[in-house]
Amino acid sequence: MNSILSVKNIKKSYRDGEVTVNVIHDINMELARGDFVSIQGASGAGKSTFLSILGAILLPDSGTITINGKNLEDYSREGKIHEYRKNHIGFIFQSHYLMPDFTAMENVMIPLLMRGIKNQAAKQKAMEILSKVGLKERANHYPSQLSGGESQRVAVARAVAPEPDIVLADEPTGNLDSHNKKIFIQVLEDLQKSRDLTVLVVTHEQDLAAAAGRRYFMKDGYLSQM
Amino acid sequence: MHFYIFLIKRYLGGRGNKIFSSNAWLSFIGVFIGCSLLVVVLSVFNGFQQQIRESIFKFDPHIIIETRKGPGKIDDWKDWRSTIKANLGDLVSNVSGMIQSPALIRKDDQIDQVLIRGVEYAEDITNKTRYVLPNDFPKNVEPTNLKGVPKGDYCLVGKELGTLLDLHVGDYIQLIVPKGQFTTRVGVEPGMKSYTISGFFASGNYQYDSRVILLSLPTAQGLFGTGDTVQQLAVKLTKFSDLKKVMLELYKILPYDFSPRSIEQEHRNLFSALKWEKIIMTVIVFLFIIAALVGIIVSTSNVIRSKRKDIGILKALGASDQEILIVFTMIGFLSGLVGTIFGVAFGIFLSMRLEWLIGTLEKIANTLGSFYCEHVSACYWVKVELMPRDVYYFDHMPVSIDASLLHPLAVLAIFLAGMAALIPAWAAGKLQPAEIIRSSDT
């Protein structure tokens, strides 16, 4: 297996007053290009914390994360954690987290511009992705003018546009109705297949979890393959 | 670069690509008003200073040479005049003898205290009965075509003194001066003589125009009975910037009995007061700019607070601390930059139109005031004069825009605007995405 992401013995704990709460216990995982992986589990099981660690929004207490052969710790030591996020990770949050002052197209353009792509090229690429998620006509609308389902599809487009090594999705259908859930799952599946994306999704949803080729279950910070 | 421009443009202008959002307007207006005020205040102070300087420098000799005992007789003044001219060459434009003394003026029943100045006029080669007025003589004289003064018992009177005593060209006045040596038996014998007014001068300095009477040197010598002697030697420089150099040369040339005194020493207190007044006003107005910079800190902080979630998202997408710092610093900096540029430009415009503005404000105030007194309340409206001519003694608002001072102040204001924006932007750059996203979820 040609590994993109390698997670070894990751641990994470929080201090809650006098008590130390172990949220993640010795997690190991390997992801290859094109993998579509889901993690299910109850609330508080540590799924989102694990995802935040993979996205370098949180740092683990111990263990190693290697992406394309480079250790996350190296990025951290060099003060370039942002480079890790920018060049390797695409994030989809439970709430769409679109920037309200920017149109759908502009929201998709931002990570492209961040990578040094010029304005016109970024616009073209953003439009292309928005067409793929069925929102070409809504490209110039602000997030407040979009429905929840449309906003979440824009969030997918934004995560996918810069062609990251891994797309991390944290409960992406959590705020959607059943109709929009179906559309969202379809869009994500299509993009994953057509672009050979590596996707790791944390979800409660059976339908979304079932779309994944590999499924994991997390309980009390322990990860097991289903 | 595209990334920065993209974000800065939107955060500065808000949705719909306006020029400025309300927060940016707040920063802009503060700096704009501060800079405009700074330019106007500095220009007016400069103008006042220049006007006072000019009125003094034009009328007074740049250096006065007296005997060390004070204004006594200088018998060999013509020899010294030649010596000074020969030694200083082109550095001086004129060296002349001068008599200056307090006196009393009498016109009919009125008596007032004046200062007589006996000055050397040049001979008029076309008319032996007249003297030619020097080129630097105040232009504003009556009669306006006055080019010379008749020889004999004629005098030129300050315009304000003429108004105070109701004097006219051709009128006779009597001048009463101390004459001869002091004796214990009679004290000082007064000398009294009548003169015809040949014209009025207006130097632009109220102190001179309300007190000084000019006589030709021979006429003054006759009045004081001093023979061919003078009290002082008056030196005018070709370039005023050579003052120190000429003073040093004079110390070398002149014997110890003579004491040269420069115009700057003579008016030290006045110039020092003017200088300090200008410095203090500059500081006060600059404090206004500092207040405007606090406005930039507040408005940039407001932008950052309202865009906190955006910062979290941008950081989760891969923006660095430095990128966030630059974006939000530039937002405050650009408001300050544009505010300074437009503020300085508007200040210059306002300074150039200040007289018109003051006139218009006076007109509006007087129209409204008299309307109120006539139609609303039975009162007597005292005409408002924002720049009373008799107090400030300027026939126009003296404004001088000093680019050499405005330039560094504008650069400093722009730099400080950047620094002001840097403070909240620094904190924005340090925000952690995890904290922001967690707080946005709750």
Side-chain angles (χ1 to χ4, degrees):
Chain A
M1 187 170 72
N2 189 9
S3 173
I4 282 186
L5 179 79
S6 169
V7 178
K8 284 193 178 130
N9 306 322
I10 288 293
K11 285 182 184 171
K12 180 76 182 172
S13 59
Y14 291 119
R15 293 282 299 174
D16 186 7
E18 297 281 300
V19 187
T20 302
V21 183
N22 294 314
V23 189
I24 304 286
H25 299 274
D26 263 335
I27 290 181
N28 293 288
M29 184 188 267
E30 294 282 332
L31 291 179
R33 175 157 295 283
D35 278 353
F36 188 175
V37 176
S38 69
I39 301 173
Q40 286 176 274
S43 291
K47 308 185 297 293
S48 294
T49 303
F50 179 55
L51 209 68
S52 294
I53 290 170
L54 293 185
I57 285 177
L58 293 175
L59 289 176
D61 295 341
S62 63
T64 55
I65 296 171
T66 312
I67 195 150
N68 274 342
K70 190 167 178 182
N71 201 320
L72 176 61
E73 211 172 298
D74 295 339
Y75 283 99
S76 177
R77 202 171 33 244
E78 292 163 13
K80 287 183 175 171
I81 282 282
H82 64 278
E83 294 282 344
Y84 172 90
R85 289 186 209 125
K86 184 164 76 179
N87 297 327
H88 304 297
I89 307 294
F91 252 113
I92 306 168
F93 302 95
Q94 179 173 3
S95 178
H96 55 74
Y97 282 139
L98 297 180
M99 290 158 73
D101 292 322
F102 297 85
T103 62
M105 182 179 66
E106 288 167 342
N107 265 285
V108 180
M109 283 169 72
I110 285 169
L112 299 170
L113 294 169
M114 208 182 273
R115 289 178 184 214
I117 296 169
K118 287 189 176 167
N119 208 45
Q120 206 50 41
K123 199 179 263 185
Q124 211 173 332
K125 192 156 190 184
M127 280 308 286
E128 189 190 309
I129 303 274
L130 283 170
S131 301
K132 288 209 168 118
V133 299
L135 291 171
K136 191 181 173 184
E137 306 304 321
R138 310 286 278 161
N140 290 319
H141 287 73
Y142 288 96
S144 58
Q145 297 166 321
L146 300 173
S147 70
E150 286 171 332
S151 296
Q152 201 61 315
R153 276 188 277 157
V154 175
V156 173
R158 182 179 64 186
V160 169
E163 295 169 15
D165 291 322
I166 302 164
V167 174
L168 302 173
D170 187 7
E171 301 280 6
T173 54
N175 289 341
L176 301 181
D177 58 39
S178 57
H179 173 67
N180 276 309
K181 265 178 205 165
K182 272 184 193 166
I183 297 173
F184 179 86
I185 293 166
Q186 191 60 52
V187 163
L188 191 62
E189 266 191 301
D190 289 349
L191 282 171
Q192 191 270 327
K193 279 176 188 154
S194 64
R195 299 183 159 233
D196 199 21
L197 283 174
T198 308
V199 178
L200 175 60
V201 63
V202 160
T203 184
H204 282 108
E205 296 293 332
Q206 286 299 333
D207 292 348
L208 180 56
R214 200 165 10 134
R215 295 170 71 177
Y216 287 89
F217 186 78
M218 188 173 259
K219 190 180 178 189
D220 299 331
Y222 292 97
L223 190 70
S224 53
Q225 194 162 356
M226 290 166 74
Chain B
M1 188 55 85
H2 288 271
F3 171 65
Y4 291 124
I5 295 169
F6 189 74
L7 289 182
I8 291 165
K9 213 171 141 194
R10 185 54 51 86
Y11 286 147
L12 200 59
R15 279 192 203 181
N17 289 324
K18 288 177 283 180
I19 300 169
F20 282 145
S21 64
S22 51
N23 271 315
W25 272 116
L26 184 74
S27 308
F28 169 82
I29 288 169
V31 179
F32 174 83
I33 294 173
C35 286
S36 302
L37 277 179
L38 187 67
V39 173
V40 172
V41 168
L42 286 181
S43 302
V44 169
F45 266 83
N46 255 345
F48 267 89
Q49 224 173 58
Q50 218 167 44
Q51 184 94 355
I52 289 170
R53 224 171 236 274
E54 264 176 28
S55 67
I56 292 171
F57 284 15
K58 236 179 188 178
F59 198 72
D60 278 354
H62 296 147
I63 297 166
I64 286 175
I65 301 163
E66 285 179 346
T67 57
R68 219 164 257 285
K69 284 173 254 169
K73 284 182 185 175
I74 305 174
D75 299 320
D76 46 356
W77 66 279
K78 283 180 181 163
D79 297 339
W80 282 113
R81 182 176 64 180
S82 308
T83 310
I84 292 166
K85 275 184 179 174
N87 279 280
L88 295 175
D90 290 341
L91 287 171
V92 295
S93 65
N94 188 30
V95 182
S96 60
M98 193 167 90
I99 289 174
Q100 192 162 260
S101 172
L104 293 174
I105 180 174
R106 188 172 149 206
K107 167 77 170 109
D108 302 329
D109 295 335
Q110 299 180 88
I111 292 182
D112 209 341
Q113 183 197 336
V114 291
L115 185 77
I116 288 175
R117 194 179 274 189
V119 291
E120 245 190 304
Y121 296 127
E123 297 281 343
D124 188 344
I125 46 169
T126 58
N127 186 348
K128 294 286 179 198
T129 63
R130 296 176 68 85
Y131 293 112
V132 182
L133 287 173
N135 289 334
D136 57 359
F137 195 78
K139 292 277 181 289
N140 191 1
V141 290
E142 187 197 338
T144 44
N145 57 354
L146 194 65
K147 295 272 190 287
V149 198
K151 286 181 179 175
D153 295 336
Y154 289 91
C155 64
L156 285 171
V157 177
K159 198 176 158 188
E160 294 299 327
L161 183 62
T163 310
L164 287 170
L165 299 178
D166 191 27
L167 303 175
H168 304 278
V169 174
D171 281 359
Y172 288 98
I173 53 161
Q174 278 185 319
L175 294 176
I176 303 154
V177 294
K179 194 174 179 181
Q181 291 295 312
F182 173 83
T183 61
T184 47
R185 196 166 57 84
V186 290
V188 176
E189 191 186 332
M192 188 161 65
K193 211 166 179 183
S194 291
Y195 296 90
T196 309
I197 297 171
S198 60
F200 294 96
F201 67 86
S203 66
N205 185 319
Y206 188 80
Q207 291 299 315
Y208 294 152
D209 294 352
S210 62
R211 274 198 72 198
V212 175
I213 291 179
L214 293 175
L215 299 176
S216 70
L217 187 61
T219 309
Q221 284 168 337
L223 175 64
F224 287 95
T226 56
D228 190 17
T229 63
V230 295
Q231 289 175 340
Q232 294 149 334
L233 280 165
V235 181
K236 278 258 179 187
L237 305 179
T238 313
K239 279 190 290 179
F240 185 72
S241 51
D242 291 330
L243 184 67
K244 274 188 186 152
K245 194 175 166 188
V246 173
M247 282 294 283
L248 285 174
E249 286 298 316
L250 284 174
Y251 281 123
K252 282 184 207 163
I253 299 163
L254 297 170
Y256 181 75
D257 289 349
F258 287 110
S259 155
R261 208 168 63 244
S262 77
I263 196 167
E264 275 189 349
Q265 289 169 323
E266 191 96 340
H267 298 282
R268 183 178 288 160
N269 288 347
L270 175 68
F271 289 132
S272 170
L274 286 174
K275 188 178 157 193
W276 276 105
E277 209 170 29
K278 189 174 163 186
I279 291 171
I280 289 165
M281 277 312 290
T282 308
V283 169
I284 290 170
V285 178
F286 208 80
L287 284 178
F288 195 90
I289 292 184
I290 298 290
L293 296 178
V294 173
I296 289 185
I297 297 177
V298 171
S299 64
T300 310
S301 301
N302 281 345
V303 173
I304 289 168
R305 200 174 303 119
S306 66
K307 305 298 172 203
R308 207 176 132 83
K309 195 172 139 190
D310 283 17
I311 295 168
I313 297 164
L314 286 167
K315 287 202 135 186
L317 293 177
S320 65
D321 294 2
Q322 197 187 346
E323 282 167 331
I324 298 293
L325 173 83
I326 290 171
V327 167
F328 287 97
T329 303
M330 285 306 285
I331 290 166
F333 171 74
L334 287 174
S335 314
L337 175 75
V338 178
T340 305
I341 292 170
F342 278 87
V344 168
F346 185 69
I348 291 171
F349 169 77
L350 215 58
S351 302
M352 289 161 80
R353 306 280 295 172
L354 202 56
E355 205 165 335
W356 170 84
L357 187 73
I358 287 174
T360 309
L361 287 175
E362 275 177 5
K363 263 185 206 164
I364 293 170
N366 288 325
T367 310
L368 291 176
S370 26
F371 178 84
Y372 178 79
C373 279
E374 277 172 32
H375 299 97
V376 182
S377 162
C379 59
Y380 178 71
W381 176 253
V382 181
K383 208 174 167 191
V384 171
E385 215 180 335
L386 294 175
M387 274 283 299
R389 303 313 188 242
D390 54 339
V391 174
Y392 293 102
Y393 198 62
F394 296 132
D395 51 3
H396 66 283
M397 171 66 89
V399 171
S400 167
I401 297 158
D402 184 357
S404 64
L405 187 63
L406 291 184
H407 185 249
L409 282 174
V411 170
L412 185 63
I414 292 167
F415 172 74
L416 289 177
M419 289 292 108
L422 191 69
I423 298 164
W426 185 270
K430 293 285 168 209
L431 288 172
Q432 292 303 314
E435 289 167 21
I436 301 170
I437 289 167
R438 203 180 301 133
S439 64
S440 300
D441 282 337
T442 52

